[in-house]
Amino acid sequence: MKIGIISYPTQGGSGVVATELAMALARRGHSVHLFSYAHPFRLPRFQRNLILHEVEVSTYPLFKYPPYDLALAARLAEVVEEAGLQILHAHYAVPHATSAWLAKQLVAPRPVRVVTTLHGTDITLVGTDPAYFRVVRFSILQSDRVTAVSQSLRRQTQEEFGIGRDIVVVPNFVDTKRFRDLPESSERRVFAPNGEPILAHASNFRPLKRVGDVLRIFARVRTEMPAKLLLIGQGPDRIFAQRLAKDLGVEADVHFLGEQEFPERLYACADLFLLPSEQESFGLSALEAMSCGVPVIATRVGGLPELIEDGKTGFLFPVGDVEGMAQAALRLLRDPELRHAMARDARRIACEKYDQERVVDLYEELYRELIAGS
Ligand code: GMT
């Protein structure tokens, strides 16, 4: 098949999913074109069957806001015609679904099918903003297929946009061969020279990730036992987090690691993963940690209860329940048997339900059906 995938290049989960999907499809022999405004951070420089189109936006003195969505639509239409793309798969509705719809109009009557995958804040924050609501709703309705990364996001989309159309749930996935427990190459001793337990968190440090709660949970754990915290990622709350670590008196035990190309090596040396978000339609970083055999302590929001089985692969709490999450962390860290049982279950669920090959099969099948119907 000839497939175009539209993605953000940034560290967020939608960009990771889109890039990993593009690479997996290319490995299966499909001809894949990836569209983004910069080089996606999970994409190696070269891969057979995969071409990256970095979409450039020309500026003009009149433009306060150069129109990326138009430049993207024009580039998509060009490549659909030149390379004979059969599918345009938009990851994150805003503005990718709209640009894909416009490209489809530009190349008509050539049949190109538009798939839109909803990831989270494209619905819960940005999409429902009155400035975008109508055009996002239109673009969802006009897509040939719409997928959502969790049941929760599907429900929310139908409710918020008053949409009756079918939305297929295709969960996010993980390369379980890459994200696994790596005892040999583990960097554990670098971070915890005296064998201290290690807690980890990874995100784009936006306010809804509640990195402050991560630090408060950790500080509470530190009052009871020595421990280390790995903070992976970069974003607007990083400076705030550094200051808070200092104020809480734990800065010597917190490693700020920034964006990481091989996060699996860091997850693999953690004893537990913290994700106390205010919203999370899926929680890809939690899945990657689970695949490395790390139990997760998280909030009971969005798609997290679909991913994390409370009491089996982790523990779930209301947003802001720092004391509850700290007590759960202490319980896990003090009980190696419980921790190992949860680690095994977390890895098993990641392999059984979210393995990359299994989920890429679902997308492949969906594309085939669409092409057959055109
Ligand atoms: O919606 C966002 O915050 C951005 C988006 C992204 O690009 O990372 O994150 C969402 O999509 C991820 C991949 O499907 C999910 O794992 C995240 O849970 C989701 N974020 C939120 O819902 C806050």
Side-chain angles (χ1 to χ4, degrees):
M1 288 182 277
K2 293 178 177 173
I3 304 155
I5 292 191
I6 311 156
S7 168
Y8 279 105
T10 44
Q11 202 204 4
S14 69
V16 171
V17 170
T19 309
E20 296 285 354
L21 175 62
M23 293 194 293
L25 291 164
R27 278 195 300 274
R28 291 180 178 204
H30 300 293
S31 166
V32 182
H33 293 251
L34 184 58
F35 298 84
S36 196
Y37 60 73
H39 193 104
F41 94 111
R42 275 266 176 108
L43 185 71
R45 286 288 141 187
F46 172 76
Q47 190 182 331
R48 185 195 285 259
N49 299 330
L50 200 162
I51 296 175
L52 173 66
H53 301 270
E54 285 189 44
V55 178
E56 293 199 9
V57 190
S58 348
T59 54
Y60 185 70
L62 279 184
F63 296 162
K64 185 171 173 195
Y65 307 106
Y68 174 67
D69 34 14
L70 299 186
L72 174 61
R75 189 81 193 108
L76 291 171
E78 262 168 44
V79 181
V80 167
E81 287 176 342
E82 282 163 12
L85 298 185
Q86 299 158 292
I87 297 284
L88 288 177
H89 188 169
H91 283 266
Y92 205 87
V94 190
H96 298 161
T98 313
S99 300
W101 172 80
L102 183 51
K104 183 174 166 164
Q105 313 312 305
L106 292 171
V107 303
R110 178 191 277 274
V112 61
R113 299 294 173 181
V114 173
V115 180
T116 296
T117 290
L118 308 173
H119 279 275
T121 49
D122 46 353
I123 296 305
T124 56
L125 281 180
V126 187
T128 46
D129 180 326
Y132 305 113
F133 180 86
R134 201 163 165 185
V135 78
V136 174
R137 184 175 189 276
F138 174 83
S139 308
I140 292 173
L141 287 170
Q142 293 296 319
S143 300
D144 295 295
R145 279 282 194 290
V146 179
T147 77
V149 297
S150 61
Q151 299 285 354
S152 147
L153 185 60
R154 180 176 70 145
R155 259 195 319 273
Q156 223 173 337
T157 307
Q158 287 169 333
E159 282 165 19
E160 301 272 7
F161 288 90
I163 284 176
R165 75 158 295 166
D166 55 318
I167 297 176
V168 186
V169 174
V170 179
N172 287 333
F173 56 83
V174 61
D175 179 350
T176 54
K177 292 192 196 80
R178 173 178 164 192
F179 286 81
R180 64 194 166 87
D181 196 4
L182 302 163
E184 308 292 290
S185 60
S186 160
E187 263 102 12
R188 177 177 265 280
R189 236 173 267 149
V190 176
F191 300 117
N194 302 312
E196 299 91 335
I198 297 179
L199 293 79
H201 166 80
S203 73
N204 43 21
F205 281 56
R206 280 182 296 156
L208 61 76
K209 301 290 174 181
R210 298 182 70 96
V211 183
D213 284 2
V214 173
L215 285 158
R216 288 186 196 97
I217 295 164
F218 177 70
R220 179 72 186 84
V221 168
R222 274 295 287 110
T223 60
E224 305 269 335
M225 59 164 65
K228 300 288 176 183
L229 174 65
L230 309 187
L231 288 177
I232 304 157
Q234 186 65 41
D237 274 355
R238 159 108 187 228
I239 304 288
F240 152 76
Q242 274 171 313
R243 239 182 262 133
L244 184 62
K246 208 167 183 186
D247 292 348
L248 293 168
V250 292
E251 83 266 35
D253 293 315
V254 181
H255 297 272
F256 284 89
L257 299 168
E259 285 185 11
Q260 290 288 325
E261 207 181 335
F262 302 106
E264 66 275 21
R265 297 177 53 171
L266 302 167
Y267 294 150
C269 58
D271 295 292
L272 65 89
F273 188 82
L274 297 173
L275 195 62
S277 310
E278 202 164 300
Q279 270 182 38
E280 208 66 71
S281 66
F282 184 88
L284 184 64
S285 57
L287 172 60
E288 291 182 340
M290 284 168 62
S291 184
C292 294
V294 183
V296 180
I297 294 177
T299 37
R300 196 177 288 108
V301 293
L304 288 175
E306 294 168 46
L307 175 66
I308 299 156
E309 218 175 301
D310 196 11
K312 198 160 175 64
T313 59
F315 292 108
L316 297 172
F317 291 88
V319 175
D321 187 358
V322 168
E323 184 58 25
M325 290 187 258
Q327 289 306 328
L330 284 165
R331 185 179 157 203
L332 263 180
L333 297 176
R334 284 176 175 142
D335 185 345
E337 236 170 76
L338 174 67
R339 201 171 69 241
H340 290 140
M342 282 194 154
R344 270 194 306 277
D345 281 330
R347 168 76 187 165
R348 184 178 50 75
I349 298 280
C351 293
E352 283 175 9
K353 289 176 70 178
Y354 301 102
D355 182 65
Q356 174 170 287
E357 297 309 317
R358 197 182 131 89
V359 178
V360 173
D361 282 349
L362 300 177
Y363 279 121
E364 236 182 7
E365 204 177 304
L366 189 145
Y367 299 155
R368 279 215 177 87
E369 266 175 36
L370 273 176
I371 292 171
S374 51

